[in-house]
Amino acid sequence: RKADMDAFGASIGIVSAAKMRGKKGYIVLNNITPAIKNIYNRLLKEEPDYLNYIILPKDAEEMIDESSLMVVVDNHRPSFTEAPMLLELTNKVVLIDHHRRGAEFIKDPILTYLEPYASSTCELVTEILYYMQDKLQLSPFEADALLAGITVDTKNFTYQTGVRTFEAASILRRAGADTSSVKQLFKDDYDIFVKKAEIVRNSKILYNRVVIGRLEMDSEDSVLIAAQCANDLLNISGIEASFVLTYSGGKVHISGRSLGSISVQLILERLGGGGHLTSAATQISGHTMEEVEKMLIDAIDDYLKEGEKK
């Protein structure tokens, strides 16, 4: 649910893998989220035929049968998938993810490729494609979609980036990916730019190493703005982790980002969330933003105190 660039790019890669084997592949997608709006608009312009591969959950439910293979990307929690009921309609499920394994997990996948040290799911999918075929047959759009997923999850190749990450990027570059085109996918509207500036201006710094910002609005863009601003706040000198709170569907959403010295995943797991060492999130209902901010500060305090004891 609420697909981001890594999830969408990985889905594009899996459809490409199916096409390489002469099979029909589909992307189950309910909504075009703000995070994938730019890549989706480019799809409409450059690859309109791809619309034939994007289907709604209800259509997938009609098409799927016991022999169907379902590939879940960038997530391993059934409740976080776009269509949890599909998991009950086939026993052939492949899981490809780069998040640290949580308590909730897809039941009995026939193949699990869970690599928490990978930068992104797009990195893992690129490796799979390369193992399938030395010379990748990707369109520029497909190569860019995969590179965009790596770019967003590594914050422009600066965090959670290893040798394999650059090898995957090199593979995609040879396949036709263009870094200038990928950069265009991350441009913001003027209003979003202004809102992010306001969050930065009103943010507060804790312990000279953690910063918390707030976006007091509930719109389809609020979660995306919060995530992007959490990334931007890491550019403040001395800051090791950042959190931005906003509203989403009546709940308080928290986006957490870090440079790696502080695990935002462990902090937000205390509040029912999850994610990755350097990128995590959670949503809390039934509380005001002030109450959630206090809960977050308490979670940060507990995490840092535990670290000091060790």
Side-chain angles (χ1 to χ4, degrees):
R1 287 178 295 123
K2 298 183 178 179
D4 62 9
M5 198 76 82
D6 188 34
F8 191 70
S11 299
I12 293 289
I14 294 300
V15 168
S16 301
K19 290 195 295 182
M20 286 180 189
R21 290 293 178 262
K23 303 292 184 179
K24 290 183 178 179
Y26 301 94
I27 299 171
V28 181
L29 189 65
N30 207 24
N31 296 301
I32 307 304
T33 63
I36 65 170
K37 181 175 62 177
N38 289 345
I39 187 76
Y40 184 78
N41 288 338
R42 185 174 159 191
L43 178 151
L44 295 177
K45 192 177 296 182
E46 296 183 18
E47 298 270 0
D49 289 345
Y50 246 96
L51 290 176
N52 297 322
Y53 303 125
I54 299 176
I55 59 176
L56 293 169
K58 63 177 183 179
D59 297 323
E61 194 170 358
E62 293 176 1
M63 297 167 63
I64 196 169
D65 58 37
E66 291 183 358
S67 66
S68 299
L69 175 68
M70 182 158 64
V71 183
V72 179
V73 296
D74 200 32
N75 166 51
H76 58 260
R77 299 184 179 190
S79 64
F80 280 23
T81 61
E82 192 78 312
M85 70 281 192
L86 295 179
L87 293 165
E88 306 297 326
L89 300 177
T90 180
N91 58 6
K92 296 180 179 179
V93 179
V94 170
L95 172 62
I96 307 173
D97 189 19
H98 72 116
H99 295 99
R100 179 172 167 265
R101 180 166 178 162
E104 184 187 4
F105 199 78
I106 290 172
K107 183 181 178 182
D108 299 328
I110 59 171
L111 173 64
T112 299
Y113 192 15
L114 185 69
E115 183 53 81
Y117 294 101
S119 71
S120 56
T121 311
C122 281
E123 175 186 315
L124 300 176
V125 171
T126 298
E127 290 179 350
I128 291 170
L129 289 168
Y130 187 65
Y131 293 146
M132 290 173 65
Q133 196 170 52
D134 286 346
K135 186 173 177 56
L136 294 188
Q137 296 177 345
L138 298 175
S139 69
F141 168 78
E142 292 170 331
D144 282 356
L146 285 160
L147 184 59
I150 297 175
T151 301
V152 74
D153 271 22
T154 59
K155 304 176 186 67
N156 291 309
F157 291 88
T158 53
Y159 305 119
Q160 198 69 23
T161 307
V163 173
R164 286 167 55 182
T165 312
F166 288 101
E167 288 176 345
S170 177
I171 290 168
L172 294 171
R173 185 70 184 91
R174 289 196 298 271
D178 181 78
T179 52
S180 296
S181 297
V182 170
K183 186 177 180 180
Q184 298 297 318
L185 298 173
F186 300 104
K187 286 197 169 184
D188 293 324
D189 295 335
Y190 174 77
D191 289 341
I192 292 177
F193 198 88
V194 170
K195 287 185 177 74
K196 289 198 291 185
E198 291 174 353
I199 297 171
V200 174
R201 184 182 64 185
N202 297 318
S203 61
K204 62 176 73 172
I205 296 177
L206 307 176
Y207 315 113
N208 296 317
R209 57 194 298 209
V210 179
V211 60
I212 297 177
R214 288 168 52 161
L215 176 62
E216 310 250 6
M217 60 175 281
D218 188 347
S219 74
E220 66 173 4
D221 294 325
S222 58
V223 172
L224 176 62
I225 296 171
Q228 290 180 344
C229 196
N231 284 330
D232 294 343
L233 287 168
L234 289 177
N235 292 322
I236 299 174
S237 179
I239 294 301
E240 300 172 37
S242 63
F243 299 89
V244 176
L245 291 76
T246 189
Y247 292 109
S248 175
K251 300 178 182 179
V252 179
H253 175 93
I254 306 175
S255 289
R257 298 292 185 271
S258 94
L259 301 179
S261 54
I262 292 176
S263 174
V264 291
Q265 178 186 10
L266 292 179
I267 291 171
L268 292 183
E269 278 183 352
R270 298 165 188 259
L271 301 178
H276 206 272
L277 170 70
T278 61
S279 177
T282 190
Q283 288 192 350
I284 300 172
S285 59
H287 293 275
T288 66
M289 186 172 288
E290 288 74 18
E291 291 171 339
V292 172
E293 183 175 341
K294 175 65 168 58
M295 294 163 63
L296 173 61
I297 293 173
D298 289 343
I300 294 170
D301 286 341
D302 290 343
Y303 171 85
L304 294 177
K305 287 175 183 176
E306 288 178 6
E308 290 172 359
K309 290 178 182 178
K310 295 178 182 178

